[in-house]
Amino acid sequence: AQSVTQLDSQVPVFEEAPVELRCNYSSSVSVYLFWYVQYPNQGLQLLLKYLSGSTLVKGINGFEAEFNKSQTSFHLRKPSVHISDTAEYFCAVSSRGNEKLTFGTGTRLTIIP
Amino acid sequence: GAVVSQHPSWVICKSGTSVKIECRSLDFQATTMFWYRQFPKQSLMLMATSNEGSKATYEQGVEKDKFLINHASLTLSTLTVTSAHPEDSSFYICSATPGAGGNQPQHFGDGTRLSIL
């Protein structure tokens, strides 16, 4: 079984400040990791994914995430946020041979002007 | 690329009505499609996994007779909420993936907000 923990349910950040959204996972097998963003009343959009290789992955909209196997983490970062980044962010994990995604509970990022 | 279209985006209907939601992959063939339910301010709950040409696999606690899933082609899956009641009101989201193996990201539709009066 696998699980995902997003400890921060809400993160307020001033515009142009950096942000880190935390994600920790638990799994007995090798995992694939994803970050999705959800804007109000919309589906989810893929921000970035880690499948293998370099542990630092870059995604869309200036976001990046780093896979840390020893700490079982996949934190999402952005050096300077914009108002348009206000949304719900979900971390998710799947594993080899299993397309099912296990989602975290989400983090609501609010950008303060 | 990898666009998933979900229709309708909003449905309001009377209790006892059956409602069909369509999920289409527009520019790729979807080996597997997934149906999720999302309650306000909560994460996505997987309802079922659907593979083209075979019966859907439902998650524990999801009534298969209540939520009928059909995946008749590689680009279309439908979810029918039968005899809907107010407690079925929710945001339903589908996703599709072009391949098996777990390393293909899921591509999501924009969701359907279902309101049962």
Side-chain angles (χ1 to χ4, degrees), chain A residues 32 36 38 43 94 97 99-100 104, chain B residues 38 43 59 100-102 106 109 113:
Chain A
Y32 304 117
Y36 286 88
Q38 183 179 33
S94 66
E99 304 97 337
K100 286 187 188 180
Chain B
Q38 186 179 31
S43 188
E59 295 299 300
Q106 291 182 24
R113 186 159 302 283

Side-chain angles (χ1 to χ4, degrees), chain A residues 11-29:
Chain A
V11 173
V13 180
F14 285 103
E15 192 174 13
E16 297 184 7
V19 68
E20 179 178 82
L21 304 184
R22 296 182 294 169
C23 172
N24 288 87
Y25 69 92
S26 171
S27 177
S28 57
V29 298

Side-chain angles (χ1 to χ4, degrees), chain A residues 38-103:
Chain A
Q38 183 179 33
Y39 299 101
N41 295 311
Q42 292 187 28
L44 276 65
Q45 181 181 4
L46 179 67
L47 276 178
L48 48 78
K49 61 182 185 287
Y50 171 79
L51 304 180
S52 65
S54 174
T55 57
L56 181 65
V57 292
K58 294 188 182 297
I60 62 172
N61 301 344
F63 284 94
E64 64 179 32
E66 185 157 20
F67 170 58
N68 188 318
K69 188 175 182 179
S70 62
Q71 296 187 7
T72 60
S73 67
F74 190 55
H75 301 331
L76 181 71
R77 297 191 292 259
K78 185 170 183 177
S80 176
V81 296
H82 303 286
I83 292 289
S84 58
D85 293 323
T86 296
E88 189 85 20
Y89 291 80
F90 291 97
C91 181
V93 61
S94 66
S95 55
R96 190 183 301 275
N98 183 1
E99 304 97 337
K100 286 187 188 180
L101 278 176
T102 300
F103 283 91

